[in-house]
Amino acid sequence: MSGSPPPEGGFVRRVGLFQATAINMSQMCGIGPFVTIPLMVAAFGGPQAVIGFIAGAILALADGLIWAELGAAMPGSGGSYVYLRQAFQYRTGRLMPFLFVWTATLFIPLIMSTGVVGFVQYLGYLAPDLGQTGGDLIGLGVIVLVIALLWRGIEHIARITAVMWTVMIAAVLMVIVAAASDFSPHLAFTYPAHAFELTSNHFWIGFAAGLTIGIYDYLGYNTTAYMGAEIKDPGRTLPRSIIFSILGIMAIYLLLQIGTLGVIDWHRMTNPDDIASTSVASAVLEKTWGKAAADTVTVLILITAFASVFTGLLGGSRVPYDAAKDRVFFRPYGKLHPRHRFPMLGLATMGVITAIGFLIGRHTDLATLIQLLTTVMVIVQALAQIAALTVLRKRQAGLRRPYRMWLYPVPSIVALVGWLVIYGYADKNSPGRHPIEWSLTWLGLGIVAFVVWARLEKVWPFGPKEISEEYLAGASADGEPVAI
């Protein structure tokens, strides 16, 4: 079985620690915090919503250490696709990497659709008479424009990413500084009665919803793991970039959350008729520095949202392409555009799913969309990767591990509990939406698709298992743990 290039393959290792950390942070902090602060406040029912961002950071750190060990040991191109292939090939052949690609074709565009929902929400601040139909058409138009730009083969992607990073940082800093200029501790730290009543079921339902929103905001801390073949000294750089980016984004989110709560009464954020419930950053700037400043930061947020969808679909469309090239997914996804050399079918598929996800988010709510994409991701990526770490420690004990998880297996257990809480409470936090049922349905369809594909390709269970241990080859002993 062919696989992703080994560490010394065709890629050039050019990305150092600073660039790697910046890449992670730029993926983590897109439109997310600007649209989820009101959702977090609504989930907790007050300013104690800060707990959600802290809990999300703890889960991200625990899960990040799993990515750190796997990425440092197998620094090739592909991330989860590589780790699951290596860990589960002994019993189920190519099933797990196939299911990862299958689910990635759903949860990646669903993440992008939240960016489009956020775009339309903030556009509503500049155009308050936009209306439901007008917003739907503009959101669909944004998706069509992104696909059209990517279909033509955009060059200089690194510059676009740099612009996105700069604009995002500018928007974040403007909101933080503006909030600090008119901060009220009374607003930020006055909690409703029974806010911290841990024996209440209401608290834990709110906590589970807040944890889901929190981990959604931190998604992207693993970006450099997918670029392992391009990272300098990956045994040290990958773990550090993951941990530093999570800590940095946590600081930014806490400043945003607390600063916003110190300017805008939290009751406004839970009122669907108040602009603070959909465009809270604009509301902060309007109250502190006036309408002109609010309009300016709103434009910056719109640019951030558009750029995040652009770069997200750019990278996401390559996932089924890489797998199809490795004969772990349907062959048509391995074809490139004859002129512009981009994966046509992957881009088209994710574009359509992004549009569907956007309409779901617009006609239900953003929290439901976040619940759906998270539950889809939990089983095949999050939980499977926790198992993969343990399996590989036993199956490939001789694999060189430049970084070993701190306090193993405690972070794995923390991550396992966190992901199970998110998954177990999904239906309660989205009554009538059934995200668990939808995620299991998608997984079931993926298994059916795998059986059809395996029959066509004549691989397990319709052919012999093909064991590939390319990262184990030549490794005589585990590497020493790396100090972060």
Side-chain angles (χ1 to χ4, degrees), residues 421-462:
V421 167
I422 287 174
Y423 196 80
Y425 277 85
D427 279 352
K428 292 183 180 180
N429 287 316
S430 298
R433 308 298 186 192
H434 307 294
I436 291 178
E437 288 83 350
W438 281 110
S439 69
L440 292 175
T441 299
W442 187 257
L443 180 62
L445 290 174
I447 293 173
V448 172
F450 172 78
V451 171
V452 173
W453 172 83
R455 180 63 178 166
L456 293 173
E457 295 288 337
K458 295 181 174 58
V459 298
W460 183 92
F462 302 102

Side-chain angles (χ1 to χ4, degrees), residues 162-443:
V163 170
M164 172 187 170
W165 167 257
T166 303
V167 170
M168 180 271 293
I169 289 295
V172 167
L173 288 178
M174 285 185 69
V175 176
I176 291 174
V177 174
S181 69
D182 192 25
F183 183 77
S184 167
H186 176 75
L187 284 177
F189 302 115
T190 300
Y191 306 107
H194 312 298
F196 301 100
E197 191 172 306
L198 301 184
T199 58
S200 167
N201 190 49
H202 177 75
F203 173 87
W204 290 109
I205 291 177
F207 176 84
L211 180 61
T212 304
I213 296 166
I215 196 63
Y216 160 78
D217 280 329
Y218 285 98
L219 290 179
Y221 55 84
N222 50 14
T223 302
T224 47
Y226 286 94
M227 304 169 57
E230 301 166 77
I231 303 295
K232 295 178 182 177
D233 191 10
R236 292 179 178 272
T237 301
L238 272 173
R240 292 179 177 183
S241 69
I242 291 170
I243 294 168
F244 292 169
S245 62
I246 293 171
L247 294 177
I249 289 295
M250 180 177 68
I252 290 174
Y253 283 171
L254 289 177
L255 289 173
L256 273 175
Q257 174 81 65
I258 296 173
T260 299
L261 288 168
V263 175
I264 304 295
D265 189 319
W266 69 268
H267 294 90
R268 291 184 58 191
M269 301 185 202
T270 61
N271 180 1
D273 297 323
D274 196 306
I275 195 67
S277 68
T278 56
S279 309
V280 67
S282 304
V284 168
L285 267 294
E286 181 176 334
K287 184 175 180 181
T288 54
W289 292 353
K291 187 67 167 59
D295 289 345
T296 299
V297 79
T298 301
V299 171
L300 295 180
I301 292 172
L302 292 177
I303 295 172
T304 298
F306 182 88
S308 67
V309 176
F310 180 91
T311 55
L313 285 179
L314 170 73
S317 63
R318 271 65 179 170
V319 172
Y321 167 74
D322 288 338
K325 278 203 314 176
D326 275 357
R327 292 180 59 240
V328 186
F329 205 60
F330 294 106
R331 292 189 183 188
Y333 282 91
K335 295 181 180 179
L336 296 176
H337 188 281
R339 179 181 176 188
H340 297 300
R341 311 302 294 169
F342 65 87
M344 297 179 292
L345 189 55
L347 180 58
T349 300
M350 291 195 175
V352 171
I353 296 175
T354 300
I356 294 172
F358 164 71
L359 293 175
I360 291 173
R362 285 281 291 169
H363 292 271
T364 56
D365 55 76
L366 186 58
T368 295
L369 186 57
I370 292 173
Q371 287 281 0
L372 178 60
L373 72 88
T374 306
T375 51
V376 168
M377 184 184 67
V378 164
I379 299 178
V380 177
Q381 184 177 58
L383 297 183
Q385 205 160 271
I386 294 170
L389 179 69
T390 302
V391 169
L392 286 169
R393 282 200 171 202
K394 293 179 179 179
R395 283 281 192 172
Q396 298 189 16
L399 179 67
R400 183 177 181 274
R401 292 174 172 85
Y403 167 76
R404 281 181 172 273
M405 175 191 286
W406 298 333
L407 302 176
Y408 175 83
V410 174
S412 288
I413 295 171
V414 171
L416 177 65
V417 171
W419 289 117
L420 288 177
V421 167
I422 287 174
Y423 196 80
Y425 277 85
D427 279 352
K428 292 183 180 180
N429 287 316
S430 298
R433 308 298 186 192
H434 307 294
I436 291 178
E437 288 83 350
W438 281 110
S439 69
L440 292 175
T441 299
W442 187 257
L443 180 62

Side-chain angles (χ1 to χ4, degrees), residues 145-155 310 337 339-342 347:
L145 178 58
V146 168
I147 298 300
L149 290 174
L150 292 174
W151 204 271
R152 295 171 63 87
I154 294 295
E155 302 295 334
F310 180 91
H337 188 281
R339 179 181 176 188
H340 297 300
R341 311 302 294 169
F342 65 87
L347 180 58

Side-chain angles (χ1 to χ4, degrees), residues 110-157:
L110 287 182
I111 292 173
M112 297 308 104
S113 66
T114 64
V116 185
V117 172
F119 181 97
V120 174
Q121 284 185 2
Y122 272 85
L123 185 63
Y125 179 80
L126 298 178
D129 298 325
L130 186 60
Q132 182 74 37
T133 302
D136 290 349
L137 292 175
I138 288 176
L140 292 174
V142 167
I143 296 169
V144 170
L145 178 58
V146 168
I147 298 300
L149 290 174
L150 292 174
W151 204 271
R152 295 171 63 87
I154 294 295
E155 302 295 334
H156 308 300
I157 299 302

